[in-house]
Amino acid sequence: PPRSTLFPYTTLFRSQWTFGNTNHLSAPVESFGFNFGAPGDRSDDDGVLWFDYPIVGGPSPKITIKTTPKTPRTFARHSLLLPTHDFNWIGASGFDGVTQVQLSMPKSKKKARYTVRLIFSEPELKQACVRVFSVSLNGQTVLKFLDIAALAKEPGQTIVREFKDVEIDKKLTIDLQPLTEAQPVLSGISIVQQP
């Protein structure tokens, strides 16, 4: 087809991803996010920089991430194909089958309180009650019987859950316990230090 025919299509499906060298950071990182399975790094409207993991778009900060299983399956869709949501570009990709994510805080020397956001999206458009799991942060259960499909107003909608006053001392461990045969999914995590 002529270029004029293709142009609206390519414009519609263009995304805003980048990467940057953050190895020069000398102070503790006070806010960051990880977007699992994403094609690069990207900032949200609050100025939080979300890094891709596994790293594919270029250098990212030296934050140690351990997962169970060691190499979870990833999924990816185009965010414009998902229901409109501020974080649908995060929900467009993620881990499928992950039961634990452990983040080591960069250059952290003392305990601090953070606001933690967890981003979820149902990648296979399963029905309610098919994929149900619980979530804990550093051993404290924060979500019981999480059913993303039941919470979504539209199939594939991104679901965000925010937790304030989470005390973190060098490490944050997120445990996801499956309660049905379908395994847990997780699209992203953001951590913002509270004043």
Side-chain angles (χ1 to χ4, degrees), residues 28-32 105-117 137 162-172 190-195:
V29 177
E30 295 182 349
S31 66
F32 61 89
M105 303 296 288
K107 298 180 172 62
S108 177
K109 295 182 179 179
K110 61 180 181 179
K111 290 182 181 179
R113 294 192 174 276
Y114 294 83
T115 296
V116 177
R117 276 181 177 165
L137 301 178
E162 183 177 286
F163 309 96
K164 296 183 182 295
D165 296 317
V166 178
E167 189 174 77
I168 302 175
D169 181 14
K170 298 183 180 179
K171 188 183 298 181
L172 173 65
S190 73
I191 301 174
V192 178
Q193 187 170 346
Q194 297 177 188

Side-chain angles (χ1 to χ4, degrees), residues 15-17 35 38-45 48-50 77-80 82 85-93 158:
S15 294
Q16 300 173 1
W17 299 96
N35 189 183
D41 303 340
R42 184 168 170 173
S43 292
D44 65 23
D45 292 340
V48 175
L49 183 56
W50 290 76
R77 303 161 290 181
H78 199 290
S79 60
L80 292 179
L82 301 182
H85 188 282
D86 289 344
F87 291 112
N88 66 350
W89 52 275
I90 298 172
S93 64
T158 300

Side-chain angles (χ1 to χ4, degrees), residues 1-16 78 80:
R3 181 180 176 87
S4 59
T5 305
L6 288 175
F7 181 74
Y9 182 84
T10 56
T11 301
L12 174 66
F13 287 91
R14 183 173 55 205
S15 294
Q16 300 173 1
H78 199 290
L80 292 179

Side-chain angles (χ1 to χ4, degrees), residues 1-177:
R3 181 180 176 87
S4 59
T5 305
L6 288 175
F7 181 74
Y9 182 84
T10 56
T11 301
L12 174 66
F13 287 91
R14 183 173 55 205
S15 294
Q16 300 173 1
W17 299 96
T18 185
F19 73 93
N21 189 345
T22 57
N23 293 330
H24 65 280
L25 295 174
S26 58
V29 177
E30 295 182 349
S31 66
F32 61 89
F34 278 99
N35 189 183
F36 303 123
D41 303 340
R42 184 168 170 173
S43 292
D44 65 23
D45 292 340
D46 295 325
V48 175
L49 183 56
W50 290 76
F51 302 102
D52 59 338
Y53 188 85
I55 299 169
V56 294
S60 285
K62 293 181 178 178
I63 299 174
T64 301
I65 299 180
K66 296 180 180 179
T67 63
T68 303
K70 188 174 181 179
T71 308
R73 295 184 306 275
T74 59
F75 64 87
R77 303 161 290 181
H78 199 290
S79 60
L80 292 179
L81 300 177
L82 301 182
T84 302
H85 188 282
D86 289 344
F87 291 112
N88 66 350
W89 52 275
I90 298 172
S93 64
F95 283 149
D96 182 355
V98 67
T99 56
Q100 186 180 83
V101 177
Q102 190 177 87
L103 306 176
S104 295
M105 303 296 288
K107 298 180 172 62
S108 177
K109 295 182 179 179
K110 61 180 181 179
K111 290 182 181 179
R113 294 192 174 276
Y114 294 83
T115 296
V116 177
R117 276 181 177 165
L118 303 178
I119 316 294
F120 304 94
S121 181
E122 171 52 58
E124 298 175 6
L125 304 184
K126 293 185 181 296
Q127 299 297 315
C129 301
V130 175
R131 191 193 305 274
V132 183
F133 54 98
S134 63
V135 181
S136 65
L137 301 178
N138 284 346
Q140 297 277 28
T141 300
V142 293
L143 294 171
K144 296 180 179 180
F145 305 106
L146 177 64
D147 187 338
I148 303 166
L151 293 170
K153 296 178 181 177
E154 299 178 64
Q157 182 181 19
T158 300
I159 303 296
V160 180
R161 289 296 177 263
E162 183 177 286
F163 309 96
K164 296 183 182 295
D165 296 317
V166 178
E167 189 174 77
I168 302 175
D169 181 14
K170 298 183 180 179
K171 188 183 298 181
L172 173 65
T173 301
I174 301 107
D175 286 298
L176 304 100
Q177 180 182 359

